[in-house]
Amino acid sequence: ARAIVGEAPCYLSFDIDALDPAFAPGTGTPEMGGFTGREALHLVRALRGLDFVGADLVEVSPPLDAAGITAMAGATLLFEILCLLAERSDHRRAADRG
């Protein structure tokens, strides 16, 4: 991702069905062999420093996940994504000041 995006502004879209159904069963298209929760967090955190201007997380379907596992995974990943966005926003503000 870094090699392709470089320093350009970018948008992050995370599809929850990239996670294995053991970690995110509440999606319309569950796929065996997906990321674990830990791997997904590592992936998102590894994107730190890219110039994100926006993001989303898609495919969470609470009616398909009575235990709420998918919603928890989605909320946790969104928190990490929001941290990336906030950090870049602070970086832009600091660059504008000086």
Side-chain angles (χ1 to χ4, degrees), residues 5-97:
V5 173
E7 299 294 319
C10 56
Y11 186 93
L12 174 62
S13 185
F14 194 102
D15 193 331
I16 200 73
D17 63 19
L19 273 65
D20 188 273
F23 300 93
T27 183
T29 51
E31 294 291 333
M32 291 299 294
F35 294 117
T36 66
R38 183 183 304 258
E39 290 168 337
L41 286 172
H42 178 75
L43 175 68
V44 169
R45 290 172 180 163
L47 297 172
R48 186 174 185 201
L50 291 177
D51 189 15
F52 288 111
V53 295
D56 63 30
L57 186 134
V58 298
E59 296 291 329
V60 174
S61 181
L64 298 176
D65 181 22
I69 297 168
T70 308
M72 178 61 79
T76 302
L77 287 164
L78 276 174
F79 172 78
E80 295 292 333
I81 291 168
L82 285 171
C83 288
L84 295 175
L85 289 166
E87 183 176 64
R88 291 310 293 175
S89 178
D90 288 347
H91 179 76
R92 272 190 226 93
R93 266 195 301 270
D96 287 345
R97 281 187 242 139

